[in-house]
Amino acid sequence: MEKEQERKNIIESLEKELKVIKTKNDLANLKALYLGKNGIVTNLSLKMKDIPNEEKREYGKFLNEIKDEVSLKLETLLKEIERKELEEKLASEKIDITLPSKKIKKGSLHPMTRIQNEFEDIFVSMGYTVYDGPEIESDKNCFQKLNIPKGHPARDAQDTFYLKDEYENFLIRSQTSTAQVRAMEENKEKGPIRIVCPGKVYRRDEDATHSHQFMQIEGLVIDENVSMADLKGTLELFCKKILGEKTNVRFRPSYFPFTEPSVEVDVTCFKCGGKGCSLCKQTGWIEVLGAGMVHPNVLEMSGYDSKKYQGFAFGTGMDRFAMFKYGIPDIRTIYGNDIRFLNQFDRKDGE
Ligand code: DAH
């Protein structure tokens, strides 16, 4: 009976303490208090020496029972605490799939890349290939072989960024027309040429509509029986494709050293539709391209028989088209790399 009372006391006090335990750590301390080296249950065995021999067996059994009971209770609470901890963890890590997601920041094409793609798509659809030329060019390719010898006044506007010392006959190209020379010399009458060459060019210019670096695109077609009619038809189609079907196109006689005859191409003003405004200086027209039939001298200098072959060429600044199409008032912003400017072209045209 005495033993029974003892058991009851221990279990009751254990249960009382278990009720307030919340953490595994506290539970471990409690376990030490009961089952540790000097624990309450452990110390019961010290009494064994005072127990008469015939009762020792009985007492041993009692000790084991109480140990098992205490262990079971501690173990049960441990499991309970672990279950709660897991539940809390799962609840805190719960993902609400109905929440709107964070917007993924995507880059967008630079306005010049976009306009270049538009140019290339149109010309590729007409059977042209895209031709690439270097930005550092010889004086020969940039001027002489385009019928602009040393001292020619046509150089004035473009005579700018030359290299130094032994490279003084080289410059960063001032026009993509250099592609004409390169394409002809590479091809050497091995059939027709139909190329466009987009790329950067450099001149000593700097104001709202001129930058020291800008982008041109050059076109060259060489074949037998090419006429001014082909040039007109091609450029008319191109202007309508890039600026809209309503665009009217007119050709004015002009002068370029590498073409004869030469023309300048005007289109209906994008802003006023031809009525006259400040952009077109009340004329209703805007000049967009230079063009002409390839000069026989240019053909001959690059190894083409000008009796057999003719060609037409054209060139334009792609920046101007980007400015008109995308409403960019100052060309310098195109090259300023200001993220606030570039962000305005984010995801346009349903991209
Ligand atoms: N290269 C000329 C310029 O930079 C543009 C040009 C005019 C190119 C007439 C041509 C052309 O091919 O035929 O001003």
Side-chain angles (χ1 to χ4, degrees):
M1 199 55 218
E2 202 190 317
K3 275 198 283 165
E4 204 35 48
Q5 191 56 44
E6 197 151 30
R7 191 193 73 85
K8 221 175 143 204
N9 290 346
I10 289 176
I11 296 300
E12 269 172 12
S13 84
L14 175 70
E15 280 178 339
K16 225 186 203 166
E17 295 196 77
L18 282 175
K19 266 190 195 134
V20 295
I21 296 278
K22 292 265 180 315
T23 66
K24 278 202 230 171
N25 211 9
D26 290 347
L27 188 65
N29 289 339
L30 189 67
K31 187 175 177 181
L33 192 67
Y34 281 82
L35 302 176
K37 236 181 172 180
N38 280 316
I40 297 167
V41 177
T42 322
N43 285 344
L44 285 181
S45 56
L46 299 177
K47 290 188 182 163
M48 189 66 107
K49 59 179 186 324
D50 307 323
I51 305 280
N53 272 351
E54 60 277 18
E55 286 172 31
K56 271 196 167 54
R57 203 181 136 92
E58 184 70 10
Y59 193 73
K61 202 172 151 221
F62 160 74
L63 280 181
N64 281 339
E65 277 170 7
I66 193 160
K67 218 187 220 163
D68 287 349
E69 202 173 348
V70 168
S71 293
L72 184 69
K73 286 199 184 295
L74 288 164
E75 194 60 29
T76 310
L77 187 63
L78 180 68
K79 288 217 175 101
E80 176 67 14
I81 289 173
E82 280 175 347
R83 192 184 58 78
K84 272 199 188 133
E85 273 180 4
L86 185 67
E87 254 172 27
E88 272 163 27
K89 196 165 172 238
L90 288 177
S92 71
E93 288 174 0
K94 200 160 114 187
I95 298 164
D96 182 353
I97 55 163
T98 65
L99 276 179
S101 63
K102 272 192 199 146
K103 216 179 150 213
I104 297 166
K105 271 223 149 219
K106 284 189 194 155
S108 59
L109 293 181
H110 189 280
M112 286 315 299
T113 309
R114 178 170 289 154
I115 199 83
Q116 182 176 335
N117 288 347
E118 285 194 46
F119 270 83
E120 289 180 4
D121 284 352
I122 296 170
F123 282 108
V124 167
S125 77
M126 293 199 257
Y128 287 68
T129 45
V130 178
Y131 182 90
D132 198 18
E135 286 175 31
I136 293 179
E137 258 301 1
S138 63
D139 184 282
K140 258 199 185 112
N141 286 352
C142 199
F143 299 125
Q144 295 171 42
K145 291 196 166 181
L146 288 165
N147 217 17
I148 314 175
K150 288 215 156 112
H152 192 289
R155 285 190 177 220
D156 287 356
Q158 304 191 19
D159 231 3
T160 42
F161 298 119
Y162 283 87
L163 275 65
K164 276 189 172 164
D165 305 327
E166 69 262 45
Y167 302 112
E168 64 184 15
N169 285 326
F170 289 83
L171 72 162
I172 37 179
R173 68 182 172 195
S174 57
Q175 51 184 353
T176 43
S177 303
T178 54
Q180 293 189 28
V181 177
R182 287 181 170 269
M184 278 191 279
E185 297 197 341
E186 276 171 23
N187 207 48
K188 287 268 184 269
E189 294 198 1
K190 279 203 292 280
I193 293 177
R194 209 176 290 136
I195 55 146
V196 280
C197 174
K200 291 195 197 100
V201 296
Y202 305 86
R203 293 183 198 177
R204 200 182 47 206
D205 275 335
E206 185 84 24
D207 62 39
T209 52
H210 297 89
S211 153
H212 68 278
Q213 174 199 306
F214 58 107
M215 288 194 80
Q216 285 191 330
I217 189 163
E218 184 79 12
L220 177 71
V221 171
I222 302 220
D223 207 340
E224 298 174 44
N225 300 320
V226 175
S227 76
M228 192 81 178
D230 299 313
L231 165 66
K232 268 193 87 178
T234 303
L235 294 183
E236 255 175 34
L237 182 65
F238 165 72
C239 288
K240 283 180 190 294
K241 285 250 181 268
I242 199 148
L243 297 170
E245 289 299 324
K246 286 205 190 107
T247 310
N248 286 323
V249 181
R250 79 174 183 187
F251 294 77
R252 281 182 290 107
S254 185
Y255 169 76
F256 297 102
F258 34 87
T259 45
E260 183 60 35
S262 304
V263 290
E264 265 167 337
V265 185
D266 297 340
V267 292
T268 344
C269 176
F270 331 95
K271 203 169 161 193
C272 63
K275 287 193 209 85
C277 68
S278 58
L279 182 68
C280 61
K281 301 197 183 81
Q282 311 305 328
T283 63
W285 294 98
I286 290 195
E287 182 204 318
V288 287
L289 285 138
M293 300 306 292
V294 180
H295 197 294
N297 287 356
V298 174
L299 287 166
E300 297 287 344
M301 274 190 278
S302 290
Y304 269 75
D305 179 356
S306 63
K307 301 268 181 325
K308 193 172 165 203
Y309 287 95
Q310 306 82 45
F312 66 80
F314 51 89
T316 187
M318 291 196 288
D319 314 68
R320 296 195 73 198
F321 279 85
M323 289 168 80
F324 293 138
K325 277 202 86 167
Y326 310 140
I328 302 168
D330 191 327
I331 191 172
R332 289 166 294 198
T333 54
I334 293 180
Y335 299 105
N337 241 355
D338 187 330
I339 197 80
R340 290 168 304 179
F341 167 76
L342 298 171
N343 276 343
Q344 294 174 48
F345 300 91
D346 200 17
R347 315 274 102 198
K348 256 195 195 155
D349 304 340
E351 248 172 53

